[in-house]
Amino acid sequence: GKWHMGVNCKSRRDHCHHPLNHGFDYFYGMPFTLLNECQGTDDPELAKSLQDTYWFYTQMIILAVLTLLIGKLTNLFSVKWKIIICLAICGLLYFISWFSSYGFTKYWNCILMRNHDITEQPMDLEKTTSNMLKEAVSFIERNKHRPFLLFVSLLHVHTPLITTEKFLGRSRHGLYGDNVEEMDWMVGMLLDVIDKEGLKNTTFIYFASDHGGSLEAHRGSAQLGGWNGIYKGGKGMGGWEGGIRVPGIVRWPGVLPAGTVINELTSLMDIFPTVVHLAGGAVPQDRVIDGRTLLPLLRGTVQHSGHEFMFHYCGVFLHAVRWHQKDSGTIWKAHYATPVFQPEASGACFGRGICPCFGDGVIHHDPPLLFDLSEDPSESNPLSADTEPLSDTVTRRIGKAVEEHRKTLTPVPRQLSPHNNIWKPWLQPCCGTFPFCWCDEENNKA
């Protein structure tokens, strides 16, 4: 399914970020993310968030090149031609990135791959659901006689909400509801295959979402990004509960009792140590592993999650910290930064399309905003020394946990920096002769 972790580092075919270079033995899906441009019917999504940035950098670089050029030609100051040429090339790349976001995104970003080969460019959204399902079923059937890990990252419940004709209009909740129903059907089909192949009692299945509903996703008055109930905020907002609190559903008949509800907070980072545990392995000991195996909690041998503190980031910026106070059971949450909503009382960043992680788009809180999630899960009433005698003590304890946490971090290059976001034609996956990337291997084989 959706990988969205990048593909190449230095050349079009080095595939350094590809799943096959990160532990997987087989891959079928989108190496990038699903965008409105892939369907071509909604407002451009990539353009909405990046066009202004691309155009700003283009203008700044052009201005710098012209200034240096005039200075060079009039002998006002000395500058090497190499510097001017490099800047001009950089400006051209930003211009192409800006220009291409108005039409080429579909052909360059909306692609399907099988292992290292591109099978569809651009992808045919009408066939994507059946293609993903066929691949997953085929994988189970090929590997049913040995242990396997199947990770299915569905393209559903993500704009532009690609839904086959069979499910359109089925839900009372519009297109989003239709998309949820089709996803539910797909999961059911996979579970049926597990059952049919006699793997039901030997297969651990974990179903969850990677984030809460995207509040900014709209088409007219229709909400396309889901609903977060009583929880504040949504996708991409750093620390608000609406963006990070999602349900998880686990199935393992014969091992885990059915109908059990666990209210302890866990993390998607827990999947890694859980899978390692199930496979009889051991997690690496040369680094801090943030996840905890879920098995003791699921089996009931422990009553509480292994997470005392959880750190909620927006990009590389720490926005909030959660503390499950073991002696009292109280769950505290401290917000160090929160997004500026547009409009102010809307609960989302409609003006920007997505909430930023830093800069003028966030408010920094010192002391942090403090909530007692045990009593106020909707994060409506920030606490102070006047309303909560323990507020200073809790804030200091969370601050100490942040200090200890930061000691375990190793600086890495920022993946979302302007340099890494600029389109680099030499890294562009392409079947055909670049820039004319076009192929449909699926139908050719058929």
Side-chain angles (χ1 to χ4, degrees), residues 167 232 281:
F167 284 90
K232 192 171 186 176

Side-chain angles (χ1 to χ4, degrees), residues 231-232 239-245 312 322 333 373 377 379:
Y231 302 114
K232 192 171 186 176
W240 291 121
E241 290 293 278
I244 57 180
R245 185 190 284 245
H312 304 299
R322 179 189 312 265
K333 178 105 153 288
L373 295 183
E379 298 173 285

Side-chain angles (χ1 to χ4, degrees), residues 149-167:
L149 168 70
L150 172 61
F151 171 44
V152 183
S153 182
L154 296 166
L155 303 185
H156 281 59
V157 296
H158 188 292
T159 52
L161 297 177
I162 50 172
T163 309
T164 59
E165 194 173 340
K166 177 182 174 184
F167 284 90

Side-chain angles (χ1 to χ4, degrees), residues 25-57:
D25 301 308
Y26 181 80
F27 171 67
Y28 179 82
M30 288 193 80
F32 306 129
T33 191
L34 189 61
L35 298 162
N36 286 342
E37 287 91 332
C38 296
Q39 196 168 38
T41 56
D42 294 323
D43 293 333
E45 189 175 5
L46 186 67
K48 196 173 184 181
S49 58
L50 290 180
Q51 273 172 355
D52 289 346
T53 305
Y54 287 149
W55 184 236
F56 174 76
Y57 280 107

Side-chain angles (χ1 to χ4, degrees), residues 232-282:
K232 192 171 186 176
K235 172 185 177 182
M237 293 191 192
W240 291 121
E241 290 293 278
I244 57 180
R245 185 190 284 245
V246 296
I249 303 172
V250 177
R251 188 184 90 149
W252 194 2
V255 179
L256 304 177
T260 304
V261 177
I262 298 172
N263 289 314
E264 292 291 301
L265 200 86
T266 61
S267 164
L268 291 184
M269 290 185 287
D270 296 336
I271 295 174
F272 171 65
T274 302
V275 168
V276 170
H277 187 156
L278 286 167

